[in-house]
Amino acid sequence: GAVVSQHPSWVICKSGTSVKIECRSLDFQATTMFWYRQFPKQSLMLMATSNEGSKATYEQGVEKDKFLINHASLTLSTLTVTSAHPEDSSFYICSARFETSGAPSTDTQYFGPGTRLTVL
Amino acid sequence: DAKTTQPPSMDCAEGRAANLPCNHSTISGNEYVYWYRQIHSQGPQYIIHGLKNNETNEMASLIITEDRKSSTLILPHATLRDTAVYYCIVRGVFMNSGYSTLTFGKGTMLLVSP
């Protein structure tokens, strides 16, 4: 259980075009999903938190008009990189929050396999 | 969330136990210890988490010291497929509908060799 998928797994696009990446929780509902970015030889950096039915919360330094996030349902969040440029080339990874029951309650993030974006 | 310290790299022979240490001396009482790993070019994989008791699942065991200032992730019989970067992350318990995010450090690169 707790499987998260991403599509596409890789994409190559021309500079100036927009690219949409989908993140789906396959066997659970996630009111909260997260988008990360990872550059070569670096760790994951949180870009934004996506909440179902409301606006995303962006981390400092992440342009909300460039990285559009839509969390339209409890199983789907999308990240659109608008007017992509070569410096946006990176590994984009989403995660979905799985909330466990019990006291104290806690939660676990399950990650998708990632999307490799290359902008020419 | 409390900061963690991990060795940058470790080696382990295939079939032997891999013991990955993590220091989190500033951990507070309501913070959990989470372990994830990332195999090259893949998304992170959840391994295990705990609060103060030792935990075990099908992947690994988590040993947390009594003062909670450090922990050890144990892979009992390492295989070549366990080669990955292992991240130890401390994050708070959420109350009501709140939550805290994960902050990834540099982790430990575990190399399992034949």
Side-chain angles (χ1 to χ4, degrees), chain A residues 32 34 36 38 43-44 46 49 51 91 93 97 99 104-113 116, chain B residues 32 34 36 38 41-44 46 49 51 87 91 93-94 97-102 104-106:
Chain A
T32 306
F34 304 89
Y36 296 80
Q38 186 175 33
S43 192
L44 281 79
L46 178 65
T49 301
N51 292 296
F91 192 48
I93 310 167
R97 186 168 75 100
E99 184 176 337
S105 54
T106 186
D107 62 331
T108 301
Q109 285 187 37
Y110 292 94
F111 287 79
R116 177 78 56 192
Chain B
Y32 279 78
Y34 282 77
Y36 284 82
Q38 186 178 26
S41 295
Q42 297 183 23
Y46 165 77
H49 73 280
L51 183 62
Y87 297 99
R91 61 184 289 255
V93 169
F94 72 92
S97 61
Y99 58 86
S100 62
T101 57
L102 293 173
F104 285 81
K106 296 183 178 180

Side-chain angles (χ1 to χ4, degrees), chain A residues 22-109:
Chain A
E22 293 185 349
C23 177
R24 295 181 184 272
S25 55
L26 298 185
D27 50 3
F28 66 101
Q29 293 183 330
T31 56
T32 306
M33 293 184 174
F34 304 89
W35 288 95
Y36 296 80
R37 181 166 53 180
Q38 186 175 33
F39 291 107
K41 299 189 184 301
Q42 295 186 21
S43 192
L44 281 79
M45 294 296 295
L46 178 65
M47 298 177 65
T49 301
S50 168
N51 292 296
E52 188 267 338
S54 65
K55 291 184 178 180
T57 302
Y58 292 81
E59 295 299 301
Q60 191 172 6
V62 178
E63 301 174 58
K64 62 179 181 180
D65 295 330
K66 181 171 184 60
F67 299 99
L68 302 179
I69 292 173
N70 186 357
H71 194 152
S73 77
L74 290 174
T75 59
L76 173 64
S77 175
T78 61
L79 169 69
T80 301
V81 183
T82 62
S83 187
H85 291 283
E87 57 265 31
D88 298 322
S89 297
S90 189
F91 192 48
Y92 290 87
I93 310 167
C94 73
S95 70
R97 186 168 75 100
F98 178 82
E99 184 176 337
T100 58
S101 59
S105 54
T106 186
D107 62 331
T108 301
Q109 285 187 37

Side-chain angles (χ1 to χ4, degrees), chain B residues 10-19 75 77-78 80 110-114:
Chain B
M10 292 185 65
D11 295 326
C12 180
E14 187 178 21
R16 306 296 291 266
N19 298 282
L75 307 178
H77 305 287
L80 300 180
L110 175 69
L111 177 61
V112 181
S113 302

